[in-house]
Amino acid sequence: MRDLLAALAELRERLKEIPQADERRLPDVKTEILGRKAGALTRILGQVPQLDPASRKEVGGAANALKREFEAAFDARERALKHAAAAVSGVDLTLPGRAAWRGGLHLITQVVDEICDIFRELGFTRAVGPEAETEWYNFGALNFPKDHPAIDAQDSFYLDGGYLLRTHTSPVQVRTMEQYRPPIRVVSPGQCYRRDPFDPSHSPVFEQIEGLVVDEGVSFVDLKATLSAWARRFFGAETRTRFSPSYFPFTEPSADMQATCAVCRGAGCPTCKHTGWIEILGSGMVHPAVLDNCKIDSERYTGFAFGMGPARIAMARHGIPDIRLFFESDVQFLAQFADVAGGAR
Ligand code: PHE
């Protein structure tokens, strides 16, 4: 018994080693003392049951007390080493992690896809055309008389060789009618360019979606019904639409369509300038001269066309006050509309 108490006293000396041990030495010291099989203290504790009752109590009590002291000392040293490591690397290990940014579709792309998807259900296919156009496709074939002031309203970027950057997607109407015979039902999204200022409601580069229907017996009723059905699908079932007279050289009659404001539901708010209505698109019955230019019999066929700006429509739907936000790489702005449901692409 004396031996055992002396061994405990000797072992106790090793408590001093612990605060000095580095991260490599510490686990070894711990094994030497508390190791399950060969730990010095473990071995002493293993001999306690063989002692006579009085010694058992004395040695057992002393050995268990020392065990608790060692455990506390190892604990404290382990924590201190962990803290020191974190401080050296400058990393706060207690901070929660940051999820990876997976990317997503730009809001305008999402709106274009959504608009075209609704028209697809209504029987429309997608068509595309070039962004560098001839004056004939951009203006002439669309019945803009040469030197007509309507051309000035679409001030253009001219390129060498008689080309210009298209000012609208309407040239795709002409290209489609040249290539396909009626019945025609197409929507055509794409980038357009005008010499406009870069201000809260204008951008020199912008997206448009064109629509064209040509068949026998197409009337203004089809135009109103199709576009109103689309607006109810896109903005919500309670959406109302109204049409007012307008002018485009390639449609006759022409009409602008407004829809009840999606932000205030028609009550009036800054997005709709307190009118309750939002300008959505330009439209009209295809002018017979345009059908003739595309060699489609204007006595037999009629049609309607429309053009809308997805940026303006996204602004109307979400109450976005400035078109320039779409062109800034402000991830906080864009992430609000992240296409999370669609997954990373
Ligand atoms: N192209 C016209 C514009 O940019 C819009 C429009 C398209 C109007 C089709 C009527 C029919 O203003």
Side-chain angles (χ1 to χ4, degrees):
M1 175 189 126
R2 290 281 140 229
D3 300 355
L4 289 179
L5 286 175
L8 281 176
E10 204 176 305
L11 205 50
R12 157 168 275 283
E13 285 299 299
R14 298 199 62 184
L15 272 171
K16 292 184 200 136
E17 280 175 44
I18 297 171
Q20 259 82 57
D22 62 16
E23 60 273 5
R24 271 202 260 154
R25 178 80 188 118
L26 192 66
D28 291 344
V29 181
K30 198 171 176 178
T31 312
E32 284 163 29
I33 294 166
L34 296 177
R36 254 174 219 262
K37 282 191 187 137
L41 190 52
T42 314
R43 264 193 284 172
I44 296 173
L45 278 162
Q47 296 176 43
V48 171
Q50 281 115 56
L51 298 172
D52 59 82
S55 308
R56 200 187 299 162
K57 200 172 172 199
E58 192 179 343
V59 177
N64 275 316
L66 186 59
K67 188 179 179 190
R68 281 193 291 275
E69 276 186 79
F70 270 112
E71 282 169 348
F74 283 122
D75 253 27
R77 185 58 185 156
E78 279 163 5
R79 255 181 287 128
L81 286 173
K82 225 182 246 172
H83 254 93
V88 166
S89 65
V91 174
D92 182 349
L93 298 173
T94 63
L95 273 181
R98 209 180 290 159
W101 166 244
R102 294 190 303 156
L105 295 181
H106 191 281
L107 177 59
I108 304 272
T109 309
Q110 292 177 48
V111 166
V112 168
D113 286 348
E114 197 180 331
I115 291 171
C116 291
D117 283 351
I118 297 172
F119 279 110
R120 186 180 55 209
E121 289 175 25
L122 295 172
F124 288 70
T125 48
R126 268 200 206 210
V128 286
E131 290 176 23
E133 271 294 8
T134 61
E135 283 194 286
W136 169 251
Y137 280 111
N138 198 77
F139 294 124
L142 289 164
N143 200 36
F144 284 77
K146 257 196 183 320
D147 305 320
H148 191 277
I151 294 180
D152 287 345
Q154 301 194 3
D155 204 357
S156 320
F157 293 107
Y158 283 89
L159 308 170
D160 289 343
Y163 290 94
L164 59 112
L165 294 178
R166 67 179 178 191
T167 56
H168 51 178
T169 43
S170 299
V172 186
Q173 286 187 30
V174 180
R175 291 181 175 277
T176 304
M177 285 188 276
E178 282 179 346
Q179 224 181 324
Y180 303 98
R181 298 290 92 191
I184 291 169
R185 277 200 211 97
V186 292
V187 277
S188 177
Q191 211 95 261
C192 304
Y193 306 82
R194 288 185 199 178
R195 282 190 42 169
D196 280 341
F198 196 37
D199 68 21
S201 53
H202 295 87
S203 161
V205 184
F206 57 98
E207 190 85 12
Q208 264 197 354
I209 300 180
E210 190 80 11
L212 174 70
V213 172
V214 183
D215 202 351
E216 283 179 73
V218 175
S219 75
F220 203 85
V221 174
D222 300 294
L223 180 158
K224 284 183 80 171
T226 306
L227 295 178
S228 300
W230 168 78
R232 284 192 297 272
R233 280 293 308 280
F234 187 83
F235 290 108
E238 69 294 338
T239 306
R240 283 174 295 132
T241 50
R242 69 181 187 189
F243 293 80
S244 50
S246 185
Y247 172 76
F248 301 100
F250 42 95
T251 49
E252 184 62 33
S254 304
D256 287 330
M257 184 181 87
Q258 300 187 332
T260 39
C261 177
V263 174
C264 63
R265 306 263 161 235
C269 71
T271 296
C272 60
K273 301 202 180 72
H274 303 282
T275 61
W277 294 91
I278 293 273
E279 189 77 49
I280 301 295
L281 52 82
S283 66
M285 300 305 293
V286 180
H287 197 294
V290 177
L291 295 173
D292 292 340
N293 284 337
C294 302
K295 309 210 165 43
I296 287 180
D297 183 354
S298 57
E299 293 294 329
R300 180 173 168 197
Y301 294 106
T302 50
F304 69 85
F306 53 91
M308 57 175 96
R312 297 251 171 102
I313 289 172
M315 291 165 77
R317 187 195 238 181
H318 297 286
I320 296 166
D322 194 321
I323 199 169
R324 292 172 296 189
L325 285 164
F326 292 125
F327 296 89
E328 281 165 18
S329 50
D330 177 349
V331 174
Q332 278 199 353
F333 168 74
L334 295 173
Q336 299 175 77
F337 311 105
D339 176 25
V340 178
R345 265 171 257 199

